[in-house]
Amino acid sequence: MTDIKEKRPAITPEQTTSKPRKRPHPIWYAIAGAVLIAALTYYLPPFRNYQLATVGAYFTVTAGLTVLTGLNGQLSLGHGALMATGAYTFALTQNRWLTMPLSFLAAVLATVLAGAVIGLAAARLRGPYLAGLTLAVAVVVPSVASTFDDTLGSDMGLSIALDPPPGVIPMERWQAWLCWAGALLTALLLALLVRGRFGRDLRAVRDDETAARLAGVHIARTQILAFVVSAACAGLAGALFAFLAQSVSPGAFPLTLSLFLVMAIVIGGLGRLFGALLGALLLVLLPALAQSVAEGSGSQHLEGNLALVIFGVVLVVVMLAAPGGLASIRFTSIRRKR
Amino acid sequence: MDRFVYLTFDGLSRGAVYAAFALALVLIWRAARIVNFAQGAMAVAAVYVAYSVTEKTGSYWLGFAAALVFGLLLGIAVEKAVMRFVDHSSPLNGVVVALGLVLIVQGVLGIVYGNEFRPVQTPFRRDAFDIGGIAVLSRYDVFVFAAVGAVVIGLTVLFTRTAVGLRMRAAAFAPDVSRLLGVPVGGMLTLGWALAAAVGSLAGMLVVPTELGLNPNAMDVLFVSAFTAAVVGGLDSPIGAVTGGLIVGLLLSYVSGYLGATVAPMAVLLLLVVVLLGRPGGLFSSSKARLA
């Protein structure tokens, strides 16, 4: 015990030096973001608005995933499947009752349930075992869709009935608004959540389970909760994607989507919401860039595949060039006030 | 009853392939404590090479040999160029790098060959022999058993009877001590990757013709089955990998035979969950694995 006490003073000066950089409350970021997005949607042409909406939808899921993987150290390759869960729930509820808020809520609730089930298993697994299990979850989506093809419509999927946007708002602007409302709300809630005790618990469990347990942190509960929270984000994101595409099918949630999500948060910087935002931006921009290159070259095979290669190379290079592991990066953007 | 017998043999034949694939995973896990999530993608690349060679030369066997050689070289390349630089302080890093490789391999294959499904030929016919009125095995199944059997026996002999095998086991078991004793640990690791990738390529060659066909994502579901097989057996144990492979093969065969093919991936997921929750170390504990 004395050892620990002696070490303490050595650490504190470092903390005090970074303390003066007082950051504003997350709600200001959310408000600033909302204003920026609203302004952008009037300025941008419809297709750009659609892309903006897609970034918002991706941000919704990457934000949740970075909390799970970056802060809690649990790697999930199954978030594509969780998004599919949200998307299908949204589609089914929407086609039945045609009430958007209800459908979004149902999507989140359904994925919370699915996330709790997977999280229960995930809390007992480490490293490659966890990755393998979640990989199996990601791969199972098409077969679930075909097994229950009466309700889920097999490979063809379902089309979704949507009310037209209120008033004279163009569809793309409406999509951007809704997607970013979801994204900013998610990011705000996550930021508030990880500022407090929960965030501390998450990091404690990630860094040293034994120490965390000694300090009275309930390991399994923390891990399951982290999984459920990130699953809820994935469910909302899935519903947003379904809303964007106005349809849902297994082809929209392939294994590569799950890999892309992991890639996005790793490249953006694990454990930081700003990193998740960067990752979401890349997820939309890189394929678009690769697409235009592919069209320029006139090769059909490049389409889509070029983006895969770029993503893969970037992922490997980033992982190798940061030997300390990006997981060691602190959640600096939202440091708790003392 | 006929159906049951048929499904059993079909399951064993499938299981043999999963066993080979799981063996490849176990090889790398034992040597480097990495689950090679890129194994499936690498195997698909090898099958594409075989496809090209067979197209050019018209000989299945030349393609077959090309796939194995290519797998060997790819394994060496992946280990030497990428995997040896992975930081092992967190198991996450190795997994993420392997996933990056998956994207690269699938992307390159898609660029070179396109994403459409291609039919692949088999060296032997796949219609089953009748034994006493029951359709049991096809010539192809016999070929699968023979090939996987040869691999298992070959690896066993390599690891238990040869000096290289002893060094590989030593390098995997106690790298520091082995290095002091003059074992080239890095070289053994590269050799392990090469062998594993070659075995994976073989498994790919055996299984791709029987599944939907050749495309860059052909091994996604298969990798999950093989991973499940390896986990069922315990990632440390070669015997476990073979047993796990056969178990998964039988399960898949019965489930798709009696309940429908679409349920099969869900059954694998269920098996994986049950095994991981019940015995996270796998059915064959690591103490047994050290004997092998």
Side-chain angles (χ1 to χ4, degrees):
Chain A
M1 282 311 274
T2 46
D3 279 342
I4 295 169
K5 270 185 181 162
E6 276 165 11
K7 269 183 190 167
R8 271 234 161 126
I11 301 169
T12 34
E14 197 185 327
Q15 284 178 336
T16 43
T17 48
S18 61
K19 211 176 171 185
R21 282 178 68 211
K22 211 174 176 184
R23 287 168 179 279
H25 192 274
I27 192 123
W28 297 114
Y29 285 108
I31 291 172
V35 171
L36 182 68
I37 297 297
L40 271 178
T41 52
Y42 281 97
Y43 175 72
L44 294 172
F47 178 65
R48 297 292 164 203
N49 265 336
Y50 179 80
Q51 284 187 315
L52 187 67
T54 317
V55 174
Y58 272 125
F59 183 37
T60 311
V61 54
T62 52
L65 192 59
T66 204
V67 166
L68 180 73
T69 306
L71 291 189
N72 199 219
Q74 301 189 75
L75 180 63
S76 168
L77 307 180
H79 267 52
L82 289 169
M83 285 173 70
T85 310
Y88 273 103
T89 313
F90 178 81
L92 292 174
T93 330
Q94 185 66 17
N95 287 346
R96 183 98 169 72
W97 286 290
L98 209 66
T99 321
M100 281 251 261
L102 178 76
S103 307
F104 279 118
L105 189 68
V108 172
L109 288 180
T111 25
V112 160
L113 212 65
V117 173
I118 305 173
L120 220 59
R124 302 187 51 182
L125 302 174
R126 300 291 173 269
Y129 290 100
L130 177 57
L133 177 72
T134 49
L135 179 76
V137 173
V139 166
V140 93
V141 172
S143 72
V144 174
S146 345
T147 307
F148 304 102
D149 56 350
D150 290 343
T151 40
L152 301 184
S154 196
D155 287 346
M156 298 298 293
L158 303 167
S159 59
I160 300 172
L162 287 173
D163 284 326
V168 287
I169 306 169
M171 189 61 189
E172 285 80 9
R173 192 176 297 159
W174 175 235
Q175 287 174 328
W177 284 1
L178 266 188
C179 286
W180 276 95
L184 290 173
L185 188 70
T186 306
L188 178 63
L189 290 178
L190 286 175
L192 292 176
L193 195 64
V194 300
R195 273 157 71 89
R197 171 167 184 161
F198 179 62
R200 245 184 2 255
D201 286 357
L202 285 181
R203 276 163 280 170
V205 170
R206 177 196 69 194
D207 291 338
D208 190 336
E209 276 188 30
T210 319
R213 185 173 288 128
L214 285 173
V217 177
H218 197 303
I219 309 275
R221 194 167 58 201
T222 309
Q223 287 186 320
I224 295 169
L225 205 57
F227 213 102
V228 168
V229 166
S230 79
C233 300
L236 180 59
L240 289 172
F241 269 102
F243 161 70
L244 278 174
Q246 307 188 13
S247 70
V248 52
S249 66
F253 305 95
L255 177 62
T256 20
L257 173 66
S258 297
L259 302 192
F260 275 9
L261 296 176
V262 172
M263 185 225 66
I265 59 165
V266 169
I267 291 174
L270 266 181
R272 307 180 58 184
L273 288 182
F274 184 67
L277 179 61
L278 275 184
L281 209 59
L282 281 179
L283 281 181
V284 176
L285 290 184
L286 270 183
L289 194 72
Q291 176 84 15
S292 57
V293 171
E295 275 169 8
S297 74
S299 162
Q300 284 186 334
H301 288 174
L302 275 181
E303 211 170 287
N305 290 317
L306 187 62
L308 283 186
V309 176
I310 295 173
F311 277 148
V313 170
V314 172
L315 190 56
V316 171
V317 168
V318 166
M319 256 352 243
L320 295 186
L326 290 172
S328 57
I329 291 175
R330 283 290 189 84
F331 206 62
T332 45
S333 58
I334 307 150
R335 185 168 285 163
R336 189 169 169 268
K337 276 186 283 183
R338 279 260 167 102
Chain B
M1 192 59 204
D2 292 6
R3 189 163 171 70
F4 181 78
V5 173
Y6 169 74
L7 287 176
T8 305
F9 278 100
D10 180 54
L12 289 176
S13 156
R14 281 184 186 208
V17 178
Y18 298 142
F21 213 76
L23 262 180
L25 286 175
V26 168
L27 266 178
I28 293 178
W29 173 256
R30 277 165 64 107
R33 295 285 133 176
I34 288 178
V35 172
N36 181 18
F37 279 84
Q39 186 106 66
M42 286 162 69
V44 174
V47 180
Y48 266 109
V49 168
Y51 176 83
S52 292
V53 171
T54 304
E55 287 271 281
K56 279 259 161 31
T57 61
S59 157
Y60 175 86
W61 295 109
L62 271 181
F64 191 81
L68 296 193
V69 172
F70 177 79
L72 211 66
L73 295 177
L74 187 62
I76 294 173
V78 163
E79 200 279 328
K80 278 202 182 283
V82 181
M83 283 303 176
R84 70 168 44 181
F85 301 111
V86 173
D87 170 44
H88 288 296
S89 60
S90 158
L92 218 120
N93 299 353
V95 176
V96 172
V97 169
L99 296 179
L101 285 178
V102 171
L103 293 178
I104 295 174
V105 173
Q106 289 187 347
V108 169
L109 288 177
I111 290 172
V112 177
Y113 292 95
N115 287 348
E116 66 271 16
F117 284 85
R118 288 162 190 264
V120 190
Q121 58 163 315
T122 54
F124 302 100
R125 277 187 290 140
R126 294 196 57 217
D127 43 344
F129 302 122
D130 273 11
I131 297 176
I134 303 170
V136 189
L137 281 174
S138 68
R139 286 182 171 77
Y140 188 67
D141 290 335
V142 175
F143 169 60
V144 168
F145 284 130
V148 174
V151 166
V152 171
I153 293 170
L155 286 180
T156 313
V157 169
L158 173 72
F159 278 105
T160 55
R161 296 272 183 275
T162 67
V164 175
L166 183 64
R167 288 196 194 105
M168 286 179 75
R169 280 189 294 154
F173 188 65
D176 294 336
V177 178
S178 311
R179 200 172 280 119
L180 288 176
L181 292 173
V183 174
V185 172
M188 290 300 127
L189 193 57
T190 312
L191 184 59
W193 271 85
L195 277 180
V199 172
S201 306
L202 172 75
M205 285 301 294
L206 294 177
V207 77
V208 167
T210 65
E211 303 282 326
L212 279 170
L214 187 55
N215 83 317
N217 302 319
M219 294 294 246
D220 288 356
V221 177
L222 237 133
F223 176 82
V224 171
S225 303
F227 176 80
T228 308
V231 167
V232 165
L235 271 175
D236 247 322
S237 156
I239 304 167
V242 173
T243 321
L246 295 179
I247 291 175
V248 171
L250 285 174
L251 174 82
L252 276 180
S253 180
Y254 292 141
V255 168
S256 44
Y258 289 116
L259 299 175
T262 58
V263 194
M266 280 185 271
V268 173
L269 176 63
L270 197 68
L271 177 68
L272 186 61
V273 170
V274 169
V275 171
L276 279 176
L277 290 186
R279 294 197 59 154
L283 299 181
F284 292 73
S285 62
S286 53
S287 60
K288 264 186 189 168
R290 294 299 177 215
L291 300 173

